Each structure stands twice: as C-alpha cells, then as structure tokens.
Amino acid sequence: MSTVLDNIHGTTGSAKSLADRDREFVARPTTRIPVAVTGGDGAYLVDADGRRLLDLTSGWNVANTGWNHPRVVEAVVRQARQMSFSPPWCTHDGRSSVAERLSDLLGGGYKALCGATGSEAVEAALKVARRATGRQAIVGFTEAYHGGTLGSMQAGGVPQLHAVDVPSTEFHRYAPIPDALRSNGVDYAAALREVLASGPAPAAILLEPIFTNPGVIHGDAQFYAAVQQAARDVGALIIMDEVGTGFGRTGHAFGFQHWGMDPDIVVVAKALTSGAVPMAGALMKEDLSSAVAGPGFSSTFGWVPLACAAAHASLDVISDEDLVARAATLGQRGLDRLSSLVAAYPSVAAIRGKGLEMGIEFTDESGKPFSRPPMENLTSRLLRRGIFAEPSSYTSTLLLMPPLVISDEDWARALDAIEEEIADMTRKGEFQ
Ligand SMILES: Cc1ncc(COP(=O)(O)O)c(C=O)c1O
C-alpha cells in the first residue's frame, strides 16, 4: 500500500528504507514526514537522503535556538567531559543556577521542581497544587494537550486520550477552549465559571497561554483576566503550561506575559535546552514549596549537570541573539503577509498566533475542519519544495513554528510557498 511517505520519498532511498525498518521494529512508527533525519543546523533539518528541509516545526517548539546551535553543542560536549549525571540527591552548581535564572525570568520568587519531560513536570505541578490546597479536582480545557502520562492525559481535555486509559471522574472537568471561530455566542469566561462551580472546588486551573496542539487557539486579554479572577474567587491555583510556548516562542519570554497573568506554577520543558538534553521543571511560587515533601517528587534524570549546561547555553543564546524580539518581529511580519489569505481563499478560515507560534486554519464550506487528506496534500506539497510543516489536531490548522533563528529570506520564502500551494490546491479543487 502506498503511503504519504512513499509519495514524498519515492520507493527507494535511505529515508524510505529507514521508514520500513521503523514500521517493522517500532511499536509506534512514524506516520509523519520526513521519516528520517540525520542532522540539522539553524532553521534546517537534513534527512537521510541528504535533503535540506526548511523546518517550520522546531520539533514542536523545541529548537527555538535552531538545530544544533554551536554554543549549545559546545556547552554539552564540555560538560560531558566533566560530568553528565550526578546522584539526584547531590546538588551541583548547574541546578541552583538554572533555577535562579528561571526565577529571575519570571520576575523572581519562584522555586524549581526538577524533571526530565513536560508530562512529568505537569504531573509534578498537579501534585503540588493538590497538596498545597488539600483539594483533588483540576479544571482543564477541552482539546488541550498536557502530556502522555496518565495524570497529564486526565488533566488535559483531549477526548481521544480519555476513554480507555483514564476514566472520567468528578475530579477532572474541562471548560471550553476559547475558540473564536466556533464560539456561537458562547461567553467563554462565563462557561469557565460554570465549570468551576459544577463540582468539587478545584485545586487548580490548568491551561496553556496559547493552546498549541488544537491549532494555536487563544482568547483575548479579557478572557485571561477572567481566568485569573475566577481562580482567585474559588481559591484555585493557576498552573500555566509553557512547555510549548516558553522561551521566546510567542514574542515574550513566556506566553502568559501577553495577558499580564500571574500564574502560581509555570511548567517548562522543550526549548529550555534547545532539545539537546531532556529537561523540564515546575516553577512554583516560593510559598508553595512547603508542599514539596517526601519521595513523590524525585526524578533520577531531573536536571542532571548535562541538561543544566544545555539550559544555560540555550538561555545565553536566546538573550545574546535577541530571539524573543526576533520572534515578535517575524511573527508580526507573518501575520501581515498572510492576513489577506482569508479573503482570497474560501478554505482559509483564520490566520492567528503570537510571535513565531502561528497557525493557518482551513475549513470546508460548512465551517468544519478538513479530514486528513487535504492537510496531508498541503504538507506533502510543501515538503516537495523542501519545507517541513505539520498540521494540528482538532482543527485543520497548518502550524508555523520555525526556529526563532530563521532568516528573513527563508521566512519570506516559506510564506510565499505556502500561499502558492494554497492557490494551486484551490484552483484544482483539492480542498475537499
Ligand atoms: C503543551 C504541552 N504540555 C506538555 C507536553 C508534554 O511534554 P513531553 O512530551 O516532554 O512529556 C507537551 C508535548 O507536546 C505539550 O505540547
């Protein structure tokens, strides 16, 4: 049976044979493209056939400083020669100095709980919130993804992740995501209040400042002010998941800063180390740290020296190369360039985002998301032009999340190519 991968790579080549091996030996083989990567630099990935692909994914918001930034690589190599791993109960300079730096980035007054993956850090945040408030319930948002471990799946609102692995319980409730295109007059702040009042008082409201996985969906400033107020009114903490939106991605150091929010716990991972070494943290306000007691919080691979070296180097690069401002500038340029697409093409329903976290949402004539084929068609067409992009779940949205170091020329070229492919698909009636 021919697949999208065959369509892209043909039936020969290293990438194709690696895909075959993947299907044979890996329980969850890649269904995405390109199948096999061997390297990368800056905004480019290199696949197993030596093709250079302009990357609009950053590996899902990981490679904010670009692939294999030389300063990050060098810091990791230097640290590996000295010490990669230390006993988790021993401190080391990297751990406390990264914690201090992250607290400073948040304006001061935060302490770090150390982990290796985003899901782990989300779970740590949930534990802290439950212990600190003495409550069990968590209110999340529909379609919001917060990880693949049982607790993070249950706290997130992706329906497909619920049915079998995690049963529904009165302790997990979900408010509607503030989706402007499908609001039908719904007042999302009022809907959240209703959900908060509809069961046991919650320990926390869990949210992303911009919901990435559903298709870069966010509310307006009033919505986030209402979230903040509603949390205060019911005595719930705010857990802000910045796993995908942190470290300059949205044109601020952290996404919640667009909305002037004051979260109690901020969860970070992914771009913290540019992906060089797994590292994640739940950064909590100091007064919550007394809830962190006992063995439930240990993490063998949490903030090992190698990861901390990668984090320091990544934070240095973000600061020295002014990548937060760069994301804001390029993002605005992208919105300006693409805004005319909504009027020009019937299938383009919305252009949205902040900084280099952008999405182009496509819908059919009844306003529904497209099934996979048109989106696969679009991403395959782009890949044939050497541009690697991914669609979202829930809505059919093309995600534009390139490394923040993408050049002006490459960004302009990608945006032009996207419009050309949309125009051609429209002409040929391929959006259906
Ligand atoms: C918003 C968000 N939170 C949490 C996670 C889970 O992170 P990890 O895959 O490192 O466990 C992800 C992963 O994509 C994410 O996008």
Side-chain angles (χ1 to χ4, degrees):
M1 190 183 67
S2 113
T3 66
V4 177
L5 306 176
D6 299 329
N7 186 17
I8 299 302
H9 294 287
T11 50
T12 57
S14 303
K16 173 68 174 62
S17 70
L18 278 168
D20 289 342
R21 282 173 61 77
D22 210 39
R23 282 192 279 255
E24 192 173 353
F25 293 110
V26 177
R28 188 176 185 266
T30 182
T31 52
R32 296 180 177 188
I33 43 184
V35 277
V37 287
T38 54
D41 55 89
Y44 282 84
L45 280 168
V46 179
D47 89 350
D49 293 320
R51 293 207 315 151
R52 287 176 66 73
L53 303 168
L54 179 58
D55 172 37
L56 301 186
T57 73
S58 302
W60 211 274
N61 290 354
V62 173
N64 286 12
T65 62
W67 295 100
N68 293 325
H69 194 291
R71 287 177 66 185
V72 178
V73 172
E74 201 181 295
V76 169
V77 170
R78 199 181 322 117
Q79 183 63 46
R81 288 208 183 90
Q82 189 184 329
M83 179 182 234
S84 297
F85 175 81
S86 64
W89 60 91
C90 297
T91 191
H92 56 88
D93 172 58
R95 193 166 77 182
S96 48
S97 55
V98 171
E100 181 181 7
R101 213 165 161 181
L102 293 177
S103 177
D104 287 349
L105 269 180
L106 289 167
Y110 283 80
K111 280 192 179 181
L113 194 48
C114 308
T117 68
S119 308
E120 182 189 2
V122 166
E123 300 243 357
L126 297 173
K127 281 184 265 186
V128 170
R130 285 179 166 148
R131 291 189 191 201
T133 60
R135 300 172 176 179
Q136 282 294 304
I138 303 292
V139 168
F141 284 84
T142 52
E143 301 296 341
Y145 179 78
H146 296 287
T149 54
L150 293 176
S152 60
M153 277 162 65
Q154 198 161 34
V158 181
Q160 296 95 312
L161 298 183
H162 286 175
V164 177
D165 299 326
V166 286
S168 59
T169 86
E170 59 176 330
F171 294 118
H172 288 281
R173 311 197 295 280
Y174 313 95
I177 191 171
D179 179 354
L181 264 191
R182 293 173 185 77
S183 77
N184 272 332
V186 171
D187 174 345
Y188 287 114
L192 169 65
R193 280 218 173 74
E194 225 170 88
V195 172
L196 288 170
S198 68
I205 299 175
L206 168 66
L207 75 160
E208 272 187 287
I210 295 172
F211 295 92
T212 312
N213 293 269
V216 187
I217 290 174
H218 62 80
D220 56 17
Q222 284 102 305
F223 170 76
Y224 293 96
V227 173
Q228 186 82 53
Q229 189 57 48
R232 291 220 172 99
D233 291 347
V234 299
L237 303 178
I238 290 189
I239 301 175
M240 189 62 69
D241 182 342
E242 292 273 358
V243 168
T245 47
F247 306 107
R249 167 60 49 193
T250 69
H252 271 302
F254 296 101
F256 74 82
Q257 292 165 336
H258 285 282
W259 318 119
M261 291 186 78
D262 180 26
D264 301 284
I265 307 178
V266 178
V267 182
V268 294
K270 294 199 182 209
L272 171 57
T273 60
S274 308
V277 186
M279 181 173 184
L283 312 172
M284 72 199 74
K285 286 192 171 162
E286 268 162 10
D287 60 334
L288 295 174
S289 63
S290 57
V292 181
F297 295 104
S298 70
S299 172
T300 301
F301 287 105
W303 293 35
V304 297
L306 198 66
C308 293
H312 272 306
S314 298
L315 294 170
D316 287 345
V317 170
I318 290 169
S319 161
D320 294 351
E321 299 187 12
D322 215 5
L323 295 184
V324 181
R326 181 154 183 78
T329 304
L330 292 187
Q332 192 53 53
R333 205 176 290 168
L335 289 178
D336 293 344
R337 166 70 182 79
L338 296 177
S339 60
S340 60
L341 269 56
V342 177
Y345 303 99
S347 314
V348 177
I351 310 291
R352 55 178 173 248
K354 296 270 177 203
L356 286 177
E357 160 115 344
M358 292 180 54
I360 305 175
E361 177 164 354
F362 298 87
T363 54
D364 65 18
E365 66 267 12
S366 64
K368 296 222 177 64
F370 284 110
S371 60
R372 280 176 72 96
M375 298 309 290
E376 278 184 358
N377 184 3
L378 178 58
T379 51
S380 302
R381 280 164 163 264
L382 289 170
L383 198 59
R384 274 186 229 110
R385 296 177 67 154
I387 295 170
F388 180 41
E390 283 261 282
S392 70
S393 56
Y394 173 55
T395 58
S396 37
T397 298
L398 185 72
L399 301 172
L400 312 182
M401 313 187 298
L404 312 185
V405 297
I406 189 171
S407 70
D408 291 1
E409 298 71 33
D410 280 338
W411 184 226
R413 178 167 75 81
L415 300 174
D416 287 347
I418 288 166
E419 174 157 18
E420 283 158 24
E421 294 305 329
I422 293 171
D424 196 49
M425 283 179 65
T426 305
R427 233 180 348 259
K428 293 179 174 152
E430 292 179 16
F431 275 112
Q432 47 197 318

